[in-house]
Amino acid sequence: MDTLNYISTLLADMLEAGDAVGFTFFTGYMSMFAASVFFFFERQQVDGKWKTSLLVSGLITMIAAVHYYYMRSYYLGVMAENPEATMMEASPTQFRYIDWTLTVPLMCVEFYLLLRPYGAKAGLMWRLILASVVMLVAGYIGEAIQPDQTILWGIVSTAGYVYIVYETIAGSVKKLADASDNPDVSRAVTLLRNFVVVGWAIYPIGYMLMDGNLMASLNTSLNIDLIYNIGDAVNKIGFGLVVYSVAMNSTKREATA
Ligand SMILES: *C/C=C(C)/C=C/C=C(C)/C=C/C1=C(C)CCCC1(C)C
């Protein structure tokens, strides 16, 4: 590698002071990484029936950590070459959606794992996964492939999202949790549902702020990656912490009972 190339690789990893978006790519990477270590180690502390749920929590943040590593480099590389790059040029859309396509279905699996001992069928898990894939594929097309049809694809994507929300607030997920007669499980499901209903709603807001999109005319300085990065940290680490704290409480209570 010649010297010039070498210097440009070094530069590509530099974070400029005041770059809030770049900052959240770094903190996102590190916090996902640290959360994974935490979930993998703490898995030893909880009762056997919670171990798979904690493993999945750790996998979600670990998959995200690896993608944040790439997204961070991508963003910094584009900005180092062209500080005037537009928001969408600097946005690592492909890595973002590869990450989501793996992690969001795993979040659906968390609901299934919690409810499987209380009669959840694999069909429910697959319906949630299918809805999440529809949501993400449509979102990707709207962001990266047909940006002139963002609103149409945004609506298709929202249909997938609404289905998941429905399942968790009124459908099978809710009914199985209510019928479980297990306060730990129903508490975990309620808290995870709150992430789906409130935390996940952050993403369509980011999407609407995209260049040439609904709210672009508002001329806001909010950046789509800033919003997605904050959303990911809240949702992925938060999801795992809910599973962890409910698992720890249940383990402790059963140990003293
Ligand atoms: C860890 C990553 C998570 C929890 C990502 C969730 C993403 C969404 C809920 C995205 C939803 C979208 C819509 C509902 C409409 C516009 C397009 C999307 C993909 C941003």
Side-chain angles (χ1 to χ4, degrees), residues 32-198:
M32 298 287 184
F33 183 86
S36 316
V37 174
F38 179 79
F39 295 136
F40 289 144
F41 274 90
E42 288 300 308
R43 190 172 164 273
Q44 268 108 80
Q45 310 287 328
V46 302
D47 186 65
K49 60 175 177 290
W50 297 99
K51 285 195 194 293
T52 313
S53 304
L54 253 87
L55 176 68
V56 172
S57 298
L59 289 177
I60 290 169
T61 50
M62 192 190 79
I63 293 169
V66 175
H67 285 92
Y68 267 82
Y69 179 80
Y70 286 107
M71 289 199 284
R72 191 195 56 101
S73 304
Y74 182 102
Y75 170 81
L76 292 174
V78 173
M79 295 309 277
E81 254 179 58
N82 174 18
E84 306 297 309
T86 63
M87 173 169 90
M88 291 320 283
E89 280 165 356
S91 183
T93 310
Q94 285 85 344
F95 291 122
R96 175 81 69 194
Y97 275 88
I98 297 170
D99 172 333
W100 288 356
T101 310
L102 297 166
T103 52
V104 177
L106 282 175
M107 296 169 101
C108 298
V109 170
E110 289 279 30
F111 282 108
Y112 170 68
L113 288 174
L114 289 168
L115 294 168
R116 190 176 46 178
Y118 304 97
K121 301 267 181 335
L124 171 62
M125 178 186 81
W126 288 115
R127 286 202 306 279
L128 292 173
I129 291 178
L130 185 70
S132 71
V133 171
V134 168
M135 173 178 93
L136 297 171
V137 169
Y140 181 72
I141 298 176
E143 273 193 47
I145 300 177
Q146 292 196 329
D148 50 331
Q149 297 285 340
T150 7
I151 297 176
L152 174 71
W153 289 112
I155 293 169
V156 176
S157 174
T158 303
Y161 176 48
V162 167
Y163 176 75
I164 302 174
V165 168
Y166 161 76
E167 279 292 4
T168 58
I169 65 174
S172 309
V173 170
K174 161 90 172 129
K175 288 181 192 137
L176 288 166
D178 287 348
S180 75
D181 270 338
N182 180 328
D184 296 316
V185 166
S186 66
R187 187 158 159 268
V189 169
T190 306
L191 291 169
L192 294 185
R193 178 208 64 198
N194 292 347
F195 276 99
V196 170
V197 175
V198 183

Side-chain angles (χ1 to χ4, degrees), residues 189-223:
V189 169
T190 306
L191 291 169
L192 294 185
R193 178 208 64 198
N194 292 347
F195 276 99
V196 170
V197 175
V198 183
W200 291 18
I202 296 172
Y203 300 95
I205 296 173
Y207 184 90
M208 287 189 280
L209 288 173
M210 226 183 344
D211 279 359
N213 212 332
L214 286 183
M215 295 201 275
S217 51
L218 294 182
N219 214 354
T220 124
S221 59
L222 276 175
N223 178 288

Side-chain angles (χ1 to χ4, degrees), residues 15 19-35 65 68 72 226 229-230 233 237:
L15 179 62
D19 179 354
V21 179
F23 180 84
T24 56
F25 275 121
F26 272 88
T27 49
Y29 168 50
M30 254 354 273
S31 54
M32 298 287 184
F33 183 86
Y68 267 82
R72 191 195 56 101
L226 187 66
N229 290 355
I230 294 170
I237 300 174

